[in-house]
Amino acid sequence: MASHIVGYPRMGPKRELKFALESFWDKKSSAEDLKKVAADLRSSIWKQMSGAGIKYIPSNTFSYYDQVLDTTSMLGAVPPRYNWTGGEIGYDTYFSMARGNASVPAMEMTKWFDTNYHFIVPELGPDVKFSYASHKAVDEFKEAKALGVDTVPVLIGPVSYLLLSKPTKGVEKTFSLLSLLPKIIPIYKEVISELKAAGASWIQFDEPTLVLDLDSQQLQAFTAAYADLESALSGLNVLIETYFADLTPEAYKTLIGLKGVTAYGLDLVRGTQTTDLVKKDFPKGKYLFAGVVDGRNIWANDLASSLSTLQALEAVVGKDKLVVSTSCSLLHTAVDLVNETKLDDEIKSWLAFAAQKVVEVNALAKALAGQKDEAFFSSNAAAQASRKSSPRVTNAAVQKAADALKGSDHRRATNVSARLDAQQKKLNLPILPTTTIGSFPQTVELRRVRREFKANKISEDDYVKAIKEEIKKVVNLQEELDIDVLVHGEPERNDMVEYFGEQLSGFAFTVNGWVQSYGSRCVKPPIIYGDVSRPKAMTVFWSSTAQSMTKRPMKGMLTGPVTILNWSFVRNDQPRFETCYQIALAIKDEVEDLEKAGINVIQIDEAALREGLPLRKSEHAFYLKWAVHSFRITNCGVKDTTQIHTHMCYSNFNDIIHSIIDMDADVITIENSRSDEKLLSVFREGVKYGAGIGPGVYDIHSPRIPSTEEIADRINKMLAVLETNILWVNPDCGLKTRKYEEVKPALNNMVAAAKQLRTKLAGAK
């Protein structure tokens, strides 16, 4: 019985690629240094999978930024502003598309389906001249082969690539991206030809958009694309991989009808109903790559349950045609549990990171083939039973409080218009008030202080003193820049979710459980293993300290319940909404303590609310109902004069704008600049928004410093569709990933633009 891995984490067990990328970007190391780190990581991954007995090992899943940008490079679809003149795409062009450069902005970045991973959105139009401009897929296949590892090269499928793209500026929104299929298929044929010549026997096309709500024209595009590729694929075994949700019956029918396809990869963890489609109708002689090991969470697989599922499928597809696989790429989970030295043994026994999931996949394949490792299965069963019965998982008081939430929608008593009037009397802000989103640059020195405090190398007094000094520096800078509503810069926090999870019960933490978010940005998601509560105040001391340093309003900074949920590895033994309500109650306690401490502006970030939206429209309403309700729970008890902000970043918000309004926040700051101000289109189309709103005026994920004129132009576009008295001026997101030499001039230009327009508006009265 064979085994397969859809994809594997690329950062390395200790974030080796992250540090290599940042060193290269900072010009502290060479391109050759970066290539060597990447080659060593790929070699390690391939050898690990080979050593674990995996038959179908992926190649070309490694990336310096993301796999969609790699495909854009392969197709030579470089926007003209990057001045690429042809030939093999190099680092300069590649990273300029991803990060921007001194003269031009980056391409749009958005979430990869409903994950916390991001991708760079291709910009396409009828005039794009496609060409085979990156041989990465072939090069990496040959690289693995030279190491003695036969791999399955992985490509983003042509239809998914186009469906994940957007029309470039100046092209009508009605332009059909799928009309470009005949232009990109020839490039795919060239890649396939080279892979065949290099000795490939299998090829994997990732077509994850098949799980979305697709119309008949979109489904027909898959049929047309693979019919066109059929002759080029002759002689190869072809796997079409889907993941993250169920296939609709129509999509499943399209999938199994594709020409030239040998195998189908299905997510049987999130796609719970897809199994029924397979049992009803599976084409004779084809392979099923059954994704029974969860690629998106860190819980040990229930091997007995998975084996039972596989045995039922084996009866349908045939013993020699069933391949055990992961549900999706393991990119979305941490790398290796072996590196976790501080997790207690009980919780550790409940977990499996990427390296352990590879072992689980192979153990299931061997069990199906009659070579069951009884000791491994027995140990797994004991861990499953331990987790179900452990007293640390349940807290009766928390469950009772969450149950009591039913029957109320937890809205504030006064409408937002009246609240804004009351808040303005108290805060006395100018029109177009300026603020930032929360974090300020995390310097090497600041990281050292936190690291040494965690390692007990410095005393708590020394730590508090150092953090207070950093807060004072950030407060002074904002006052010098003349920003209206200040933040304390979050120097005590390495990560906005990890910080809160460390102080809430029901959470566990890793030392090296890093997961890539985009580029070199890694996050270390907390593990929610049990019922959640807040034992004591979490932020009140730091917010009060910061407020004592200034007469200007100081925002209390919290992460909202939906974002904590979506950016954690969440327990899978109860519905997600039940866990979310528990977190909401904990954050509610913190909000009310901040208010009592004299904090008049409190930001409750819901950066990931849109990210958690199910991929199926039929499931949207239920998710949005409990997600929005969770946010309202956090602040339903505050006074009218307490201003509640929220923040959202890097997603497509237009389809949930009414739910955003229903959150009933006083002010929302929201990503806008990197997505070509897509957000503003909903207001042009007549959506009325009465609360405060700050669409981001510049992209913080690029080192580029925007001019005052550029920012003023963005604000003017906002004023064309939004009332002056509700508009705020702020960056797209927090500033922790930037350097002070970038932040200071950018914020200075932002404040200058706001003042310039205040003067202009005052003169027009």
Side-chain angles (χ1 to χ4, degrees), residues 446-707:
L446 184 55
R447 292 179 192 278
R448 182 192 63 77
V449 167
R450 284 201 307 261
R451 190 168 57 248
E452 290 187 353
F453 178 59
K454 277 198 169 185
N456 295 317
K457 290 182 179 177
I458 61 172
S459 69
E460 185 172 359
D461 286 347
D462 287 341
Y463 171 74
V464 169
K465 182 184 175 189
I467 297 299
K468 281 183 175 180
E469 286 172 1
E470 184 70 19
I471 291 172
K472 184 63 177 168
K473 183 175 86 174
V474 169
V475 170
N476 289 347
L477 173 61
Q478 291 171 94
E479 289 191 327
E480 286 167 24
L481 291 166
D482 205 16
I483 291 173
D484 299 304
V485 175
L486 310 190
V487 297
H488 76 290
E490 303 176 10
E492 78 284 15
R493 308 177 195 182
N494 178 60
D495 176 88
M496 63 188 282
V497 173
E498 183 181 358
Y499 176 80
F500 289 98
E502 283 177 336
Q503 300 182 78
L504 294 168
S505 63
F507 283 74
F509 288 86
T510 63
V511 176
N512 286 299
W514 297 100
V515 178
Q516 186 182 18
S517 179
Y518 62 86
S520 68
R521 170 88 170 125
C522 297
V523 293
K524 200 160 35 133
I527 297 165
I528 305 177
Y529 67 83
D531 290 336
V532 177
S533 62
R534 185 196 74 144
K536 61 181 181 179
M538 302 179 285
T539 66
V540 175
F541 173 75
W542 296 119
S543 292
S544 301
T545 298
Q547 183 63 80
S548 72
M549 296 175 179
T550 181
K551 292 181 179 176
R552 301 186 184 211
M554 175 64 63
K555 284 198 274 192
M557 300 300 305
L558 304 175
T559 302
V562 186
T563 296
I564 290 176
L565 183 88
N566 286 334
W567 286 357
S568 299
F569 290 125
V570 183
R571 58 190 292 191
N572 57 2
D573 59 346
Q574 72 177 16
R576 286 172 72 87
F577 70 85
E578 290 185 14
T579 303
C580 198
Y581 283 154
Q582 292 177 1
I583 302 169
L585 286 170
I587 300 299
K588 180 177 187 287
D589 290 344
E590 187 72 12
V591 168
E592 290 171 4
D593 280 352
L594 281 168
E595 184 183 59
K596 285 173 194 165
I599 304 300
N600 296 314
V601 182
I602 302 170
Q603 182 169 308
I604 309 165
D605 285 347
E606 283 297 12
L609 188 138
R610 172 63 175 78
E611 174 187 311
L613 192 70
L615 300 177
R616 276 286 146 59
K617 285 179 185 167
S618 60
E619 298 168 21
H620 286 190
F622 178 67
Y623 167 78
L624 289 168
K625 182 179 178 182
W626 64 255
V628 169
H629 186 194
S630 295
F631 176 81
R632 288 201 307 261
I633 288 166
T634 65
N635 60 88
C636 63
V638 300
K639 301 171 194 165
D640 288 354
T641 50
T642 299
Q643 190 167 82
I644 299 296
H645 288 223
T646 191
H647 171 67
M648 295 183 175
C649 57
Y650 297 103
S651 275
N652 186 356
F653 304 106
N654 295 20
D655 54 349
I656 64 161
I657 191 66
H658 293 290
S659 293
I660 291 173
I661 293 169
D662 198 38
M663 290 169 73
D664 199 27
D666 297 310
V667 178
I668 179 167
T669 52
I670 197 161
E671 184 275 327
N672 172 66
S673 64
R674 190 158 180 175
S675 59
D676 293 333
E677 296 152 352
K678 213 170 6 186
L679 171 71
L680 299 186
S681 65
V682 297
F683 303 114
R684 291 189 194 103
E685 289 158 13
V687 170
K688 298 296 179 193
Y689 193 76
I693 183 165
V697 296
Y698 78 91
D699 173 25
I700 65 87
H701 289 295
S702 169
R704 183 174 167 273
I705 297 162
S707 67

Side-chain angles (χ1 to χ4, degrees), residues 1 57 96 120 135 250 289 460 465 538 594 609 696 703 723:
M1 191 61 60
I57 297 169
S96 289
I120 302 297
H135 293 67
E250 295 79 13
F289 282 57
E460 185 172 359
K465 182 184 175 189
M538 302 179 285
L594 281 168
L609 188 138
E723 296 293 329

Side-chain angles (χ1 to χ4, degrees), residues 4 6 241-245 265-271 289-297 325-330 361:
H4 166 251
V6 177
E241 186 68 49
T242 70
Y243 35 79
F244 297 152
L266 303 175
D267 182 340
L268 302 182
V269 176
R270 291 190 172 228
F289 282 57
V292 293
V293 173
D294 192 351
R296 287 185 57 176
N297 217 325
S325 184
T326 53
S327 64
C328 62
S329 173
L330 297 175
V361 166

Side-chain angles (χ1 to χ4, degrees), residues 710-740:
E710 184 183 328
I711 295 174
D713 180 58
R714 280 220 166 95
I715 298 170
N716 272 320
K717 287 179 182 174
M718 297 170 192
L719 287 169
V721 292
L722 293 165
E723 296 293 329
T724 309
N725 64 336
I726 65 168
L727 187 61
W728 285 64
V729 177
N730 47 264
D732 264 345
C733 206
L735 303 169
K736 69 185 293 184
T737 60
R738 299 269 54 88
K739 300 185 176 89
Y740 271 105

Side-chain angles (χ1 to χ4, degrees), residues 11-46:
M11 279 290 126
K14 296 191 176 172
R15 298 180 291 165
E16 291 87 343
L17 183 60
K18 168 192 171 64
F19 299 121
L21 281 167
E22 291 173 355
S23 177
F24 175 70
W25 292 336
D26 291 341
K27 297 183 168 48
K28 293 177 181 174
S29 61
S30 68
E32 292 310 310
D33 294 330
L34 177 58
K35 285 176 185 173
K36 184 179 185 311
V37 170
D40 288 348
L41 284 169
R42 287 193 295 268
S43 170
S44 170
I45 291 165
W46 290 327

Side-chain angles (χ1 to χ4, degrees), residues 430-450:
I431 60 166
L432 306 181
T434 54
T435 191
T436 64
I437 304 306
S439 61
F440 265 65
Q442 300 263 315
T443 62
V444 172
E445 174 63 17
L446 184 55
R447 292 179 192 278
R448 182 192 63 77
V449 167
R450 284 201 307 261

